[in-house]
Amino acid sequence: MKKISDQKETEVFGVNYERFSLGKELEKLTRELNIHTVCEMPAHGAKAAPSLYSLDFALSGCKTTLINGKKEALACYENFGVADNVLFHDIENLEHIDKPDASFDFVWNFAFLPIYPDKDALLTEMIRLSKKYVAIFSVNNRNIGFYLHKFAHYINKIPWTHGDIRFNSPGFLKKFFVDKGLRNIRVGVVDCPVWPDSVGFRDIRLHRNPMNFEDLTWDVPYINY
């Protein structure tokens, strides 16, 4: 039997498309909001290769700090000649990061807030670190695929592992931001394929083959594309 660290997982087409759509959105935000410095906290992977969600920020010329990122991802940044735009920074507590106030133009994370235990403390720290913008990218519970995904967990008797579903609601998330004193809040969507997104078939397969996703070797077709 292979060790988990020897296993290789290839990101499927839906993940490739997600990375493409996300990348286009980040490029657009960089231009529209005049972003120069970025912090992704944490730079994890949502059942995908870690530390690559901010790739398009680095490609757009932003100095990008990856909190608790996987340094193996540096090879991807090197492949595009933007390794100098990336800094990996390891910390023990996401709620207390050893950086000064207002260190970054844009502080964000991807599909992480719903699963984090103390969401209020996490957002508080994100606000402290930001001089301009704070952003959360999340699965959207207005997408029919979200409920198909929930049903897939139910029918397969697999407990829901994706956190507090209230934080997948655009309206709830906006109120959460307002309650923290944030202003000029913009709610938007990133394009998804024509089929319902996040239906959960891949998720169920991965649940049935428990593994430590942080230790996997990932094949990321998006990089080649």
Side-chain angles (χ1 to χ4, degrees):
M1 179 181 295
K2 287 184 178 181
K3 296 178 181 178
I4 286 178
S5 59
D6 294 331
Q7 292 181 352
K8 189 171 185 177
E9 181 73 18
T10 299
E11 293 184 352
V12 295
F13 179 75
V15 179
N16 299 331
Y17 193 99
E18 177 181 81
R19 289 197 183 278
F20 170 78
S21 294
L22 175 67
K24 291 299 181 186
E25 184 68 19
L26 298 185
E27 289 175 10
K28 184 174 73 172
L29 289 175
T30 300
R31 294 191 304 270
E32 289 183 357
L33 305 179
N34 195 28
I35 297 169
H36 299 284
T37 55
V38 172
C39 178
E40 182 186 348
M41 55 175 287
H44 75 138
K47 292 187 177 173
S51 307
L52 293 178
Y53 293 129
S54 286
L55 174 62
D56 288 272
F57 274 132
L59 289 171
S60 298
C62 298
K63 295 296 184 181
T64 305
T65 297
L66 304 178
I67 302 295
N68 291 350
K70 289 292 183 179
K71 293 182 176 62
E72 291 82 358
L74 184 61
C76 294
Y77 293 88
E78 290 174 339
N79 185 56
F80 295 109
V82 294
D84 289 344
N85 288 348
V86 179
L87 172 67
F88 289 82
H89 187 65
D90 294 332
I91 53 96
E92 292 184 2
N93 187 347
L94 285 174
E95 298 165 24
H96 300 283
I97 293 175
D98 53 341
K99 295 284 186 183
D101 294 359
S103 289
F104 308 96
D105 294 334
F106 192 94
V107 181
W108 79 299
N109 59 52
F110 181 91
F112 183 75
L113 186 65
I115 64 174
Y116 190 73
D118 193 339
K119 298 162 181 58
D120 186 81
L122 180 66
L123 184 58
T124 297
E125 184 66 352
M126 294 174 72
I127 293 170
R128 183 188 73 80
L129 290 171
S130 173
K131 70 178 76 169
K132 290 184 178 180
Y133 304 105
V134 172
I136 298 294
F137 282 70
S138 175
V139 172
N140 183 358
N141 73 355
R142 293 182 181 176
N143 189 309
I144 188 175
F146 181 85
Y147 297 97
L148 293 174
H149 193 145
K150 285 201 71 180
F151 181 72
H153 273 261
Y154 171 78
I155 201 70
N156 288 282
K157 296 182 172 58
I158 294 174
W160 184 252
T161 58
H162 307 292
D164 187 338
I165 63 173
R166 294 179 303 167
F167 288 86
N168 298 120
S169 163
F172 184 90
L173 197 55
K174 181 176 182 178
K175 183 178 184 302
F176 184 63
F177 272 43
V178 170
D179 290 345
K180 292 296 291 183
L182 292 170
R183 296 173 296 144
N184 301 322
I185 297 168
R186 186 166 88 184
V187 176
V189 295
V190 174
D191 189 25
C192 71
V194 293
W195 61 84
D197 197 17
S198 298
V199 291
F201 300 127
R202 173 175 177 263
D203 190 44
I204 297 302
R205 174 179 67 80
L206 294 176
H207 275 299
R208 287 174 169 167
N209 182 25
M211 58 185 71
N212 185 341
F213 295 100
E214 296 296 315
D215 292 336
L216 279 177
T217 298
W218 287 95
D219 181 25
V220 187
Y222 175 68
I223 299 300
N224 297 324
Y225 296 156

